[in-house]
Amino acid sequence: MTLKEIKDLVQGEIICGEDYLDQQIECVFASDLMSDVLTLKDVNNLLLLTGLSNLQSIRTCEMSDISFLLIVRGKEVTEEMKELAEDNDMVVIRTEYSMYKTSGILYNAGLPAVY
Amino acid sequence: MNFVYHVEGGDFTNAGSTSSQVKRMLKKIGVSPEIVKKTVVALYEAEVNIVAHAYRGDITVDLEEDHIKIVLADEGPGIPDIDRAMQKGYSTASQKVREMGFGAGMGLPNIKNNSDSLNITSEVGKGTTIELINYFQ
């Protein structure tokens, strides 16, 4: 599934990375705990769902080689976060939907969990 | 080659900036992506630990042909019981640290899982030193 399709399914807003919306996503991980995100081994074409919207969620993606981030519960994304995400060529999308609702919609649409 | 980075306790804005610089450096010299990732994941957790628990610290990165050695030496409260701190789920982190997405007692286990060699020494009331080595092959 492409990021564009995901964005439409969750009525999301693109924060940065508009040029990469045709990228394919193959699996999803959802967590607010960054230490758990840091345990993931294979993150190719992985989308991270999180309600943690601060510099550390972007840093965690940078260290984990995760390029695609979907921020749930309509959390604010600061200019600093956006800049750091752009420096790392990331796509960041934001949705007003809750973590559960977002997960349900994406799972229903055929996106599997990473584990 | 030796590089030293300074980290201030409580400075969550810059937490991870050393790890970011080390990541760029390792990528530039052509270290494999898997080894870059495990090194920076271990380093990032350890860097966050300084910000979360210590007053200040220095990170010394020693880059050799076949390995990287990273020493994180902090001035802080120290760890009274290292074995206990190594257990998954044990944490003394503040609410502020938890709001940052850490502090669930996963940091030290994550560091251990991502280093080829790990040595932790600590003195209560003085500080903690973590030394980790990862080989490039």
Side-chain angles (χ1 to χ4, degrees):
Chain A
M1 189 183 299
T2 65
L3 283 162
K4 166 81 171 67
E5 290 171 281
I6 290 169
K7 172 200 161 274
D8 292 343
L9 280 169
V10 300
Q11 297 191 24
E13 166 201 357
I14 307 293
I15 304 292
C16 66
E18 198 132 8
D19 296 345
Y20 306 111
L21 289 185
D22 56 350
Q23 293 278 323
Q24 289 285 338
I25 298 299
E26 282 167 14
C27 60
V28 179
F29 187 66
S31 180
D32 284 355
L33 179 63
M34 295 302 107
S35 283
D36 275 346
V37 177
L38 289 166
T39 63
L40 296 175
K41 295 291 173 218
D42 187 12
V43 294
N44 271 339
N45 304 314
L46 177 137
L47 175 72
L48 175 65
L49 259 57
T50 187
L52 185 83
S53 185
N54 61 28
L55 274 174
Q56 299 317 315
S57 47
I58 310 289
R59 283 274 183 224
T60 297
C61 289
E62 178 188 4
M63 299 312 153
S64 310
D65 298 325
I66 294 171
S67 302
F68 313 118
L69 180 65
L70 176 51
I71 293 180
V72 299
R73 303 197 290 269
K75 299 288 175 192
E76 261 331 290
V77 178
T78 64
E79 201 50 41
E80 263 181 318
M81 288 171 64
K82 191 179 159 192
E83 279 170 24
L84 188 60
E86 281 170 345
D87 284 350
N88 287 289
D89 295 324
M90 283 172 62
V91 178
V92 180
I93 303 171
R94 183 175 65 166
T95 177
E96 292 294 324
Y97 294 175
S98 68
M99 180 90 98
Y100 184 68
K101 183 168 175 176
T102 308
S103 303
I105 288 171
L106 297 183
Y107 198 86
N108 241 346
L111 267 180
V114 63
Y115 70 82
Chain B
M1 281 188 292
N2 250 312
F3 306 87
V4 182
Y5 306 90
H6 185 72
V7 179
E8 273 301 310
D11 183 6
F12 283 101
T13 305
N14 289 308
S17 57
T18 298
S19 307
S20 180
Q21 289 176 61
V22 171
K23 182 174 185 182
R24 255 172 277 160
M25 187 162 75
L26 291 176
K27 274 170 83 173
K28 204 169 154 188
I29 61 167
V31 175
S32 78
E34 295 78 30
I35 291 167
V36 172
K37 181 172 170 179
K38 72 182 240 192
T39 305
V40 299
V41 164
L43 173 57
Y44 180 47
E45 286 277 15
E47 186 181 353
V48 167
N49 271 351
I50 296 179
V51 174
H53 298 285
Y55 314 129
R56 66 194 65 81
D58 282 322
I59 301 178
T60 307
V61 176
D62 180 14
L63 195 56
E64 300 292 335
E65 201 167 312
D66 64 337
H67 72 272
I68 181 169
K69 181 169 120 177
I70 304 171
V71 179
L72 302 101
D74 74 46
E75 289 170 41
I79 306 171
D81 186 341
I82 292 174
D83 286 341
R84 197 166 173 207
M86 292 301 291
Q87 287 171 13
K88 276 187 186 171
Y90 178 76
S91 177
T92 59
S94 65
Q95 188 55 35
K96 173 83 183 150
V97 175
R98 291 169 204 262
E99 281 165 15
M100 289 293 142
F102 292 90
M106 292 285 292
L108 287 176
N110 267 0
I111 295 170
K112 189 165 184 242
N113 287 339
N114 287 288
S115 22
D116 294 331
S117 154
L118 174 67
N119 188 30
I120 303 175
T121 52
S122 191
E123 199 176 331
V124 173
K126 289 215 161 153
T128 300
T129 299
I130 290 186
E131 185 186 298
L132 68 92
I133 298 173
N134 275 351
Y135 295 93
F136 298 149
Q137 293 293 327

